[in-house]
Amino acid sequence: MPSNFRIPKATPDGVYGRVMTVVARRMWGEVPDNAYVLLHHRPVTRAVFAFEQKVARWKALDPHLKTYAQLASAARIGCSWCLDFGYFLAHEEGLTLEKVREVPRWRESEAFTELERDVMAYAEAMTVTPPEVTDEMVAALDASLGHEAVVELTMVIAVENERSRFNAAFGLASQGYADRCELLPLAVPSTP
């Protein structure tokens, strides 16, 4: 299902728009739909892209755990665009696609370790409103990952909440990124 843009697509004009278009096409094959929305407010666009570049440099947390947390959060919110793009990025990073596709139904799947399950449970607990994070969850993750990684995990989940809620609010849907890595069919999300 294509995106239902709730505001019209912005035109990626000017030097910044042209550079962003070239970079996006080189990195992902096309301009992501959320960029067309962000471009309506250039200072916001620049701030988001600069922040995302910094987030990409965080390295305290295992990248697989980071991906599972982000996908679990996006699945909980129901952001098909974020799941689609997240699956594509997981493929590009070399994660096992059979395992990645199971994230939305991680409770029923036997593909995940106990730590991976704890990470996805934490991501979902942070994502619901109001949050359902417990002292025990944080203590267990801190014991397994360490302070620096658990701080990074928490911030990565918070960032994914921002992304997913922004995209969902503007009606953005799967853009077909996952199709390119032959990940389909995607797993149907489980109910908590």
Side-chain angles (χ1 to χ4, degrees):
M1 174 174 82
S3 293
N4 174 30
F5 286 89
R6 292 189 173 134
I7 62 173
K9 283 181 167 183
T11 304
D13 54 8
V15 173
Y16 188 80
R18 286 192 300 274
V19 168
M20 187 215 59
T21 299
V22 168
V23 170
R25 287 186 178 146
R26 186 177 317 129
M27 292 179 70
W28 308 302
E30 66 183 309
V31 177
D33 285 349
N34 54 8
Y36 288 113
V37 174
L38 285 166
L39 280 168
H40 282 290
H41 194 303
R42 295 296 168 100
V44 170
T45 306
R46 286 190 291 275
V48 167
F49 289 164
F51 180 66
E52 288 290 352
Q53 288 176 331
K54 291 176 182 178
V55 169
R57 291 193 296 263
W58 297 345
K59 301 296 180 205
L61 181 63
D62 175 277
H64 293 197
L65 295 177
K66 188 180 300 190
T67 296
Y68 299 146
Q70 290 170 323
L71 290 172
S73 179
R76 185 75 170 120
I77 290 170
C79 180
S80 69
W81 192 94
C82 295
L83 286 170
D84 179 45
F85 193 67
Y87 288 134
F88 171 78
L89 292 178
H91 173 262
E92 295 295 303
E93 294 166 9
L95 273 72
T96 306
L97 296 182
E98 292 76 20
K99 192 170 182 177
V100 169
R101 74 170 298 280
E102 292 291 306
V103 170
R105 58 175 300 275
W106 64 269
R107 283 182 178 81
E108 293 83 26
S109 177
E110 295 180 13
F112 301 102
T113 67
E114 196 59 39
L115 177 57
E116 292 164 345
R117 290 176 184 285
D118 288 348
V119 164
M120 290 183 281
Y122 184 62
E124 287 188 359
M126 277 187 64
T127 301
V128 296
T129 304
E132 297 175 353
V133 173
T134 65
D135 293 343
E136 294 77 21
M137 284 177 154
V138 176
L141 288 168
D142 189 47
S144 296
L145 302 172
H147 302 326
E148 187 178 19
V150 81
V151 167
E152 184 173 319
L153 171 63
T154 303
M155 186 52 74
V156 162
I157 296 165
V159 169
E160 185 56 44
N161 268 261
E162 175 265 327
R163 292 173 186 139
S164 293
R165 292 177 190 283
F166 179 89
N167 293 337
F170 280 108
L172 305 182
S174 173
Q175 213 172 319
Y177 286 104
D179 298 347
R180 295 180 215 156
C181 51
E182 300 175 9
L183 187 60
L184 297 177
L186 303 176
V188 175
S190 61
T191 52

